[in-house]
Amino acid sequence: MPPHVVRLVLEAARTAGVSEEELKRLPGVGVLDQEGIRVPTKMLTRVWEISSAAFAEAGGAPRVARLWTPGRFHVWDYVIKSSANLTEAFELAAQHIPAITDPHSAFIVQQDPAGRLTVATRPVSTFGRVSELIGEFVLGLLIQQAGTALGRPVTPVAITVAGEPPRSRSDLLDMYGTPDVQFNASVSSVTFSAPDATAPLPGADPALAAIVRDHAVHTVANARLILGWLDKVHAEIAASFADGPPALDRVAKRMAMSSRTFQRRLHEEGTSWREEVEKVREAEATRLLRDTGLTIDTIAARVGYIDVRALRRAFHRWYGRTPADFRREREQAAIADNHDYLQ
């Protein structure tokens, strides 16, 4: 993802009282002042993880969302501002999601027969309160974006939050501008009234909009990818699957290290060889089950298992179910999500 949101959350973490020493220990933060780069998404989720307790004490997601100002997210902000109305703005923003965040995130934009506009958000997967904070932040950001684009305050007609209500709701409800917030929903979404959805935007400029959209595509396509050390380890582990179960000494050699130095560096990163192999296997096996029609036997081989029984044991350890059950539940959940977005 581009570094814009990471910088914003880091700033919020500092103002919430997270120590500078702790933030400096985050891998890769030294490159965030550069432009024209993309950084690992896990960098952002790690900032949320170490800051979540401080955010909870200091007002939660509003502390982060309120630091946004027009133009802070570069070309993505102008995609919205130069559009004809909010409906077009968020439809285009959804198309250009890689310009602001991980392309595996998503906005689903739907206008109902009465003209009301709903934007549902599906952030990149993470866990627990971190996931809830990210969802709360995105909804607050969308409301602020809408108000800035329209040049006036916007009150949503409905909000759904895919998570438990925070200990104190006052800051969250103040940011959303409405008490009509449903928690524990299947998706996080914000719904705007038909007049707000169709009102002409003061900054609408078709010629500028076309230029901005081209620029959004160009900046993503030409960005320089910055990989952290563990990202490189993960890439080497994934590449070694073709040779069977990954071996520490082979991966260490590909990282231009001795096995002992490699293990010491893993320890300095707060992890181990076994943990990192497990992470890569889980991520890759999950992706293949979700996004491909490959057989489970083939997937087991693709992630370096000797046989499918090892994959089944691993999946039970990760998710408490078999790979076949996981795939079937994902397919059913996708159908249910699509139904929810269309309602």
Side-chain angles (χ1 to χ4, degrees):
M1 63 185 302
H4 319 318
V5 180
V6 186
R7 288 198 294 254
L8 184 79
V9 181
L10 273 173
E11 182 181 338
R14 292 186 179 100
T15 62
V18 179
S19 72
E20 193 66 34
E21 189 66 28
E22 189 168 12
L23 295 175
K24 283 180 179 178
R25 287 201 297 268
L26 289 168
V29 294
V31 305
L32 289 174
D33 59 343
Q34 300 179 36
E35 298 301 336
I37 64 171
R38 294 185 74 83
V39 299
T41 301
K42 68 179 67 175
M43 186 184 295
L44 177 62
T45 56
R46 183 63 183 139
V47 179
W48 280 105
E49 286 168 359
I50 68 171
S51 309
S52 58
F55 288 155
E57 294 297 325
R63 173 173 290 276
V64 187
R66 285 178 177 144
L67 289 175
W68 174 81
T69 53
R72 180 146 194 183
F73 291 166
H74 297 215
V75 66
W76 197 74
D77 285 348
Y78 294 100
V79 166
I80 295 173
K81 183 178 180 181
S82 61
S83 298
N85 53 49
L86 281 189
T87 301
E88 179 183 274
F90 285 126
E91 286 175 345
L92 291 171
Q95 293 175 25
H96 293 284
I97 198 75
I100 183 59
T101 189
D102 188 308
H104 291 98
S105 303
F107 290 157
I108 295 84
V109 182
Q110 181 71 32
Q111 199 161 19
D112 67 20
R116 300 191 311 169
L117 175 69
T118 296
V119 185
T121 174
R122 184 188 290 151
V124 67
S125 296
T126 183
F127 304 99
R129 184 60 184 142
V130 171
S131 178
E132 294 167 8
L133 279 170
I134 294 173
E136 292 169 7
F137 159 70
V138 173
L139 295 180
L141 175 65
L142 292 175
I143 294 167
Q144 289 191 98
Q145 289 269 11
T148 298
L150 284 166
R152 56 175 171 78
V154 174
T155 300
V157 297
I159 297 278
T160 67
V161 178
E164 299 283 340
R167 282 178 292 179
S168 173
R169 304 187 190 189
S170 57
D171 291 307
L172 195 64
L173 299 184
D174 180 57
M175 179 176 69
Y176 292 162
T178 176
D180 186 9
V181 179
Q182 174 193 345
F183 292 94
N184 294 311
S186 58
V187 294
S188 294
S189 69
V190 54
T191 300
F192 300 100
S193 68
D196 285 343
T198 57
L201 300 186
D205 185 331
L208 175 61
I211 294 170
V212 167
R213 293 195 297 270
D214 285 346
H215 184 58
V217 173
H218 177 80
T219 55
V220 172
N222 292 281
R224 181 166 52 92
L225 183 62
I226 303 293
L227 292 178
W229 185 78
L230 281 178
D231 296 288
K232 295 174 184 176
V233 172
H234 293 168
E236 295 296 349
I237 292 173
S240 73
F241 288 154
D243 301 321
L248 183 150
D249 56 346
R250 289 205 309 267
V251 171
K253 185 176 181 180
R254 292 170 71 143
M255 296 289 294
M257 293 180 172
S258 69
S259 297
R260 180 174 293 182
T261 300
F262 182 61
Q263 287 181 294
R264 184 171 64 248
R265 179 65 188 273
L266 287 170
H267 180 73
E268 290 170 356
E269 295 282 343
T271 187
S272 68
W273 167 251
R274 183 173 180 176
E275 288 179 65
E276 296 312 305
V277 171
E278 183 94 342
K279 287 178 186 176
V280 177
R281 277 179 159 154
E282 179 181 355
E284 184 64 4
T286 301
R287 182 189 70 80
L288 292 171
L289 276 169
R290 184 187 61 231
D291 298 339
T292 77
L294 294 173
T295 67
I296 294 171
D297 291 68
T298 301
I299 291 172
R302 286 280 189 96
V303 297
Y305 284 118
I306 296 174
D307 58 42
V308 72
R309 289 174 297 179
L311 176 61
R312 290 197 183 104
R313 287 193 296 270
F315 249 85
H316 196 272
R317 186 168 62 250
W318 300 331
Y319 300 109
R321 56 185 63 85
T322 67
D325 288 340
F326 178 89
R327 173 175 272 173
R328 183 167 51 254
E329 289 170 12
R330 282 293 183 132
E331 290 170 349
Q332 292 170 348
I335 293 170
D337 280 353
N338 288 335
H339 179 268
D340 286 336
Y341 293 140
L342 294 172
Q343 296 304 305

